[in-house]
Amino acid sequence: MIAYKKHLELIGYQPSTIYSLLYVAKEYLDYTAQKPCLMTDYLIYLSQRKNKNNPTKALSKAQLNMHIYGLKKYFIYLERVENKILTDSFLSYKITQKPIIYLTLEEVKQLFEATKYNTRWQERDQAILACLYHLGLRVGEACNLKLEDINLETNIVHIKTSKTGFARQLPIPANATIILKNYLEINEIQPNEYFLQGIKKQLNKQVIGRILRSLKAKTTIKKRIYAICYATASPPNF
């Protein structure tokens, strides 16, 4: 597990993702060490295993998908990094995805309007929405964004590490540029500091999730809003 953990860190996975992937791999190894079985049998075990946080319920489809995704990652690591030949793996199993429910442009506009109810954090909350909806960043990418990664002269943001492990550059739309500049005008942030900050400096996924839920409560939006951000299909122009 130590070598696998270092591998995940090396390719740039977020700490929370690394924790989940290690948890999935360890449970598989512990189970098969006591009861060797085929992957089909292990999948049956997972589908019947009780939720450890709520023993009255079985694992949800989302949790099963998380296990399958984590095991695929682990077996890919074994084959490509450890050069192990596997005769049986989860690689043939497909993950069943729920359909993505996008927010409409009007709903995103409502979220931006809702930031006006908290004048202390209005510019910060608008900057969060700009990162998620205008730039299309994953919430982890938004949390780890530093001021030095944002160039408001060339309107380019540089994402150094992402869930996929690859760096990339993104254009900043004109409307997002205005929002980010307004945020920086009232916040003294150093180039090496995290861009999105609260009372305790860097924001994390949980805090951003609470902010989104708080903004939603001030709108007429009925859809569930996740911190991972179900953005609109095209950037809103406001």
Side-chain angles (χ1 to χ4, degrees), residues 19-194:
Y19 175 85
S20 297
L21 292 175
L22 291 176
Y23 178 90
V24 167
K26 186 176 185 304
E27 180 176 356
Y28 165 75
L29 293 174
D30 289 345
Y31 181 86
T32 54
Q34 298 180 13
K35 186 179 179 181
C37 63
L38 296 173
M39 294 304 164
T40 50
D41 297 323
Y42 186 70
L43 188 61
I44 292 173
Y45 154 74
L46 286 176
S47 66
Q48 297 174 344
R49 177 169 80 70
K50 298 298 182 183
N51 187 321
K52 294 181 180 179
N53 293 326
N54 189 349
T56 62
K57 295 184 178 181
L59 294 180
S60 66
K61 286 185 178 180
Q63 290 168 324
L64 284 172
N65 284 339
M66 182 271 289
H67 276 268
I68 294 174
Y69 171 81
L71 287 165
K72 283 186 175 183
K73 289 293 181 183
Y74 180 59
F75 287 119
I76 288 173
Y77 161 77
L78 291 178
E79 289 183 325
R80 298 181 182 177
V81 180
E82 298 288 343
N83 295 318
K84 293 187 176 181
I85 299 175
L86 304 178
T87 57
D88 192 15
S89 76
F90 265 94
L91 299 183
S92 61
Y93 289 100
K94 295 182 179 180
I95 297 176
T96 56
Q97 297 284 6
K98 290 183 178 180
I100 295 177
I101 301 175
Y102 292 101
L103 294 180
T104 65
L105 295 180
E106 180 58 35
E107 288 169 335
V108 176
K109 187 174 182 179
Q110 285 188 49
L111 290 176
F112 275 94
E113 289 292 327
T115 63
K116 298 177 181 178
Y117 290 99
N118 188 345
T119 55
R120 180 184 181 186
W121 298 109
Q122 179 179 344
E123 288 77 10
R124 192 276 313 274
D125 291 350
Q126 288 188 355
I128 291 173
L129 292 175
C131 287
L132 297 178
Y133 292 99
H134 288 302
L135 301 181
L137 300 185
R138 297 180 177 90
V139 68
E141 294 171 344
C143 291
N144 290 319
L145 194 64
K146 292 188 175 181
L147 181 58
E148 63 189 17
D149 301 325
I150 302 172
N151 190 327
L152 294 177
E153 293 183 1
T154 60
N155 289 329
I156 293 292
V157 60
H158 181 63
I159 308 301
K160 295 177 180 176
T161 57
S162 66
K163 186 175 181 178
T164 61
F166 296 99
R168 69 186 194 280
Q169 290 185 335
L170 299 170
I172 305 175
N175 43 8
T177 299
I178 295 172
I179 293 172
L180 300 184
K181 284 183 176 179
N182 289 340
Y183 169 64
L184 289 174
E185 283 180 1
I186 63 171
N187 291 275
E188 295 183 2
I189 303 174
Q190 300 303 314
N192 63 340
E193 290 184 329
Y194 290 102

